[in-house]
Amino acid sequence: MVVISDIHLGTYGCHAKELLHYLKSIKPGIVVLNGDIVDVWQFSKTYWPGSHMKVVKHLLKWIGNGTKTYYVTGNHDEMLRRFVGMKMGALSIVNKVVLNLDDGKKAWIFHGDVFDVTMQYSRWLAKLGSKGYDILILINRFVNFISQKILKRGKLSLSKKIKQSVKSAVAFINNFEQTSAEIGIQNKYDYVICGHIHHPEIKTITTEAGSITYMNSGDWVENLSSLEYTDGEWSIYQFSKFDNEKMKMESKVEEKDMDNAKIFNNMLLEFNLNHQ
């Protein structure tokens, strides 16, 4: 099983090529898309690269092949909440999901924006913050270009540094994790799995009421991470320098990127939709 969240397709910050490379390397039995997969808040008709369409195509290919897929709605793709409960083949659209795992334990999975005060009371402020975050990502890419190409240094993450240095940001993450854990313990779940805060994590949280394993799948903007469950064990996957080099080597022998129209037509052919 794999849990992926906060891809933010349709934004400049999305690392779609890296994600596609990762998706091609795994064969999950269950896929949980834990919110903010397509960023409707930032969506623009003028920006939808072929790499973003290829990610959608790969996910649809999994679904078409019968891979059980849960699309858990998030705040950036909240428009899908009107379709909660809908099932289309192997795909289910939900607000949350509880899975009974092979080890007999229960995992409670949801996006996590329900705990965000700005989402509950100041939606316009949250959207404004999202635009600022997207601009920060663009600045970060320019800074990294200078750092790598000119200064010959490694990558920097401005957003990570801000999160780690601003006390209120650190407090928010801690409160988010604690609140998730407390509700999970109250409902007697063994695992609670979230996205939303772009902070990959696996840790045990203990309260007076009990203990629970809290997990966060991270994102594909800053951390390029996911959660994987294999043989009763959970782990965090993060896209590495080795993955990056392998991706570059493979891209040299692949065909040139197709445009969106060709990718879409291929999708129709694969799913036999053009004959219906």
Side-chain angles (χ1 to χ4, degrees), residues 41-42 122-135:
W41 285 7
Q42 305 293 329
S122 304
R123 190 172 297 269
W124 67 271
L125 182 61
K127 290 186 177 181
L128 181 63
S130 178
K131 290 183 181 295
Y133 178 75
D134 212 35
I135 293 171

Side-chain angles (χ1 to χ4, degrees), residues 135-272:
I135 293 171
L136 181 63
I137 293 298
L138 286 175
I139 295 173
N140 204 157
R141 286 196 171 185
F142 175 73
V143 169
N144 281 332
F145 177 82
I146 299 295
S147 177
Q148 291 181 293
K149 301 296 183 180
I150 299 177
L151 301 179
K152 304 299 181 182
R153 296 179 179 177
K155 289 186 177 182
L156 302 171
S157 177
L158 299 179
S159 53
K160 277 188 181 180
K161 286 187 176 295
I162 290 173
K163 286 180 182 179
Q164 292 168 358
S165 60
V166 178
K167 290 183 178 180
S168 59
V170 174
F172 172 77
I173 291 174
N174 289 339
N175 290 338
F176 179 93
E177 295 173 346
Q178 190 68 27
T179 301
S180 303
E182 289 175 355
I183 297 177
I185 292 171
Q186 182 181 349
N187 286 279
K188 302 186 184 306
Y189 297 124
D190 301 287
Y191 307 107
V192 56
I193 302 173
C194 304
H196 187 54
I197 59 174
H198 295 203
H199 188 73
E201 184 71 87
I202 296 179
K203 66 181 181 181
T204 299
I205 296 178
T206 302
T207 69
E208 293 180 355
S211 296
I212 195 169
T213 300
Y214 164 86
M215 290 180 275
N216 196 293
S217 46
D219 64 281
W220 284 86
V221 177
E222 302 171 73
N223 298 289
L224 283 62
S225 61
S226 69
L227 289 170
E228 296 180 342
Y229 178 77
T230 306
D231 298 328
E233 296 290 333
W234 286 96
S235 62
I236 295 175
Y237 164 84
Q238 282 196 284
F239 194 83
S240 65
K241 290 182 180 180
F242 173 77
D243 293 320
N244 192 49
E245 290 303 317
K246 188 177 179 182
M247 180 184 70
K248 288 179 180 178
M249 290 176 62
E250 290 177 356
S251 66
K252 290 180 181 179
V253 297
E254 287 180 352
E255 321 181 279
K256 291 182 179 180
D257 284 348
M258 293 182 291
D259 60 28
N260 285 341
K262 289 181 179 178
I263 296 172
F264 184 70
N265 286 335
N266 280 358
M267 289 166 60
L268 293 180
L269 288 171
E270 287 185 19
F271 287 92
N272 296 316

Side-chain angles (χ1 to χ4, degrees), residues 5-188:
S5 69
D6 299 273
I7 299 174
H8 293 277
L9 290 168
T11 68
Y12 293 104
C14 172
H15 286 263
K17 290 181 180 179
E18 291 84 349
L19 174 59
L20 182 63
H21 176 81
Y22 169 61
L23 295 179
K24 288 180 176 179
S25 73
I26 60 175
K27 295 182 179 179
I30 297 175
V31 177
V32 181
L33 303 173
N34 198 13
D36 289 0
I37 306 305
V38 178
D39 196 321
V40 178
W41 285 7
Q42 305 293 329
F43 186 80
S44 169
K45 292 181 180 179
T46 61
Y47 187 76
W48 186 260
S51 59
H52 292 217
M53 182 66 84
K54 286 181 179 180
V55 169
V56 174
K57 177 187 174 185
H58 197 87
L59 294 174
L60 288 176
K61 183 178 180 180
W62 276 351
I63 295 168
N65 289 339
T67 302
K68 185 62 179 177
T69 303
Y70 297 94
Y71 193 124
V72 182
T73 59
N75 50 307
H76 285 255
D77 45 20
E78 62 184 350
M79 64 175 292
L80 291 177
R81 285 177 174 161
R82 69 185 68 178
F83 303 110
V84 164
M86 180 180 293
K87 294 184 179 181
M88 296 175 286
L91 173 67
S92 299
I93 300 177
V94 296
N95 281 333
K96 60 183 179 181
V97 61
V98 177
L99 297 180
N100 294 306
L101 305 179
D102 296 337
D103 57 6
K105 296 181 179 180
K106 287 187 177 182
W108 175 40
I109 308 173
F110 65 105
H111 183 62
D113 57 297
V114 66
F115 297 144
D116 195 333
V117 175
T118 59
M119 279 301 304
Q120 294 180 45
Y121 301 108
S122 304
R123 190 172 297 269
W124 67 271
L125 182 61
K127 290 186 177 181
L128 181 63
S130 178
K131 290 183 181 295
Y133 178 75
D134 212 35
I135 293 171
L136 181 63
I137 293 298
L138 286 175
I139 295 173
N140 204 157
R141 286 196 171 185
F142 175 73
V143 169
N144 281 332
F145 177 82
I146 299 295
S147 177
Q148 291 181 293
K149 301 296 183 180
I150 299 177
L151 301 179
K152 304 299 181 182
R153 296 179 179 177
K155 289 186 177 182
L156 302 171
S157 177
L158 299 179
S159 53
K160 277 188 181 180
K161 286 187 176 295
I162 290 173
K163 286 180 182 179
Q164 292 168 358
S165 60
V166 178
K167 290 183 178 180
S168 59
V170 174
F172 172 77
I173 291 174
N174 289 339
N175 290 338
F176 179 93
E177 295 173 346
Q178 190 68 27
T179 301
S180 303
E182 289 175 355
I183 297 177
I185 292 171
Q186 182 181 349
N187 286 279
K188 302 186 184 306

